[in-house]
C-alpha cells in the first residue's frame, strides 16, 4: 500500500471504479432474450404497461414488496395472432451493481423462464446457471417465489439471489394484476 500514497485521491477513485466494473458480463441482449424465452414466437411487440396507484398498492400487497415503478418495459410474444406471453425487462441491485434480467411470463401470469442479461458484480455470477434459474419456472406471485421457500440460495451469491428473486416476485405480481389473460 505504500506505493499508492503517491497517487491522488481522484486517481485512486478512478482506479477503484474501473476495477469494480471490470467484472461486467453481458450474456444476452433484450432481443436475444426474447428468442431464448419464446423461440416459437413469430413476432414480438412492445407493450405499454403503466400502473396506476391502486395497482401499485395491489402489487405491494401481493408481492410483499413495493411496486417500485409506474412504467414497465414489456414485450408481448406472438405466434401468428396468438399471444404466447410477455417478457418484462428489469434491473435490481446485486451487492453494489445492477443486474439486468428478463422474465418470461405465460398468459396465466406464471413464470416461463428467467434470463440474466448483464451481470456486473465480481461475485455471485452463479445466478446465471440454468439450474438456479429453472427454479422460477411455473411459479406465480402467490406460489414459491421467495428465497428459502421455493427458491434455493447460492452460497456466496446471497444478495444477488435474494434481489433477483424479489424482482421476479414483483414482476409476477404485476403480471397477475395487469397482464393476466
Amino acid at each position: 500500500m505504500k506505493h499508492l500514497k503517491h497517487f491522488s485521491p481522484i486517481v485512486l477513485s478512478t482506479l477503484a471504479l474501473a476495477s469494480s466494473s471490470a467484472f461486467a458480463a453481458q450474456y444476452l441482449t433484450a432481443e436475444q432474450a426474447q428468442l431464448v424465452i419464446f423461440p416459437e414466437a413469430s413476432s414480438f411487440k412492445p407493450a405499454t404497461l403503466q400502473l396506476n396507484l391502486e395497482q401499485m398498492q395491489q402489487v405491494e400487497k401481493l408481492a410483499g414488496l413495493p411496486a417500485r415503478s409506474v412504467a414497465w418495459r414489456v414485450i408481448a410474444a406472438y405466434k401468428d395472432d396468438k399471444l404466447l406471453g410477455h417478457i418484462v425487462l428489469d434491473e435490481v441491485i446485486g451487492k453494489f451493481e445492477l443486474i439486468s434480467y428478463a422474465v418470461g411470463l405465460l398468459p396465466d401470469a406464471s413464470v416461463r423462464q428467467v434470463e440474466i442479461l448483464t451481470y456486473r458484480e465480481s461475485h455471485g455470477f452463479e445466478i446465471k446457471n440454468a439450474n438456479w434459474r429453472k427454479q422460477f419456472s411455473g411459479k406465480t406471485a402467490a406460489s414459491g417465489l421467495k428465497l428459502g421457500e421455493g427458491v434455493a440460495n447460492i452460497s456466496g451469491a446471497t444478495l444477488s439471489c435474494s434481489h433477483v428473486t424479489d424482482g421476479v416476485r414483483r414482476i409476477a405480481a404485476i403480471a397477475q394484476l395487469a397482464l393476466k389473460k
Side-chain angles (χ1 to χ4, degrees):
M1 291 303 259
K2 281 177 143 179
H3 63 283
L4 293 179
K5 70 179 182 178
H6 299 292
F7 291 98
S8 75
I10 293 173
V11 171
L12 291 175
S13 296
T14 303
L15 287 172
L17 285 173
S19 66
S20 70
S21 62
F23 298 103
Q26 181 166 5
Y27 299 108
L28 295 169
T29 64
E31 292 75 21
Q32 289 168 330
Q34 293 171 180
L35 296 172
V36 168
I37 295 170
F38 289 105
E40 70 278 24
S42 57
S43 66
F44 296 95
K45 298 175 185 169
T48 303
L49 180 57
Q50 296 278 340
L51 300 178
N52 60 38
L53 180 59
E54 182 182 342
Q55 288 172 316
M56 290 183 73
Q57 291 168 341
Q58 290 173 336
V59 166
E60 185 166 353
K61 185 177 180 182
L62 184 58
L65 301 159
R68 204 189 77 211
S69 180
V70 171
W72 290 85
R73 188 169 168 207
V74 178
I75 299 151
Y78 292 91
K79 173 74 174 178
D80 301 319
D81 290 336
K82 182 184 177 199
L83 176 68
L84 299 175
H86 294 91
I87 299 163
V88 179
L89 303 169
D90 192 25
E91 292 182 315
V92 293
I93 202 84
K95 184 173 184 178
F96 301 111
E97 304 290 340
L98 289 174
I99 301 167
S100 302
Y101 66 104
V103 179
L105 299 148
L106 295 172
D108 68 358
S110 65
V111 175
R112 176 174 179 152
Q113 192 169 329
V114 174
E115 291 294 331
I116 305 299
L117 305 180
T118 305
Y119 193 82
R120 298 168 180 91
E121 298 281 359
S122 61
H123 295 83
F125 57 86
E126 296 89 351
I127 66 167
K128 170 68 172 99
N129 293 342
N131 285 336
W132 187 78
R133 292 179 294 104
K134 280 182 194 173
Q135 299 177 92
F136 295 99
S137 296
K139 294 192 166 102
T140 65
S143 66
L145 277 175
K146 290 188 178 181
L147 200 59
E149 298 175 27
V151 178
N153 187 29
I154 300 171
S155 181
T158 300
L159 291 175
S160 295
C161 290
S162 177
H163 296 164
V164 169
T165 300
D166 287 351
V168 173
R169 188 170 69 252
R170 178 184 295 114
I171 288 170
I174 290 166
Q176 178 82 29
L177 296 166
L179 297 174
K180 187 174 180 178
K181 300 294 178 209

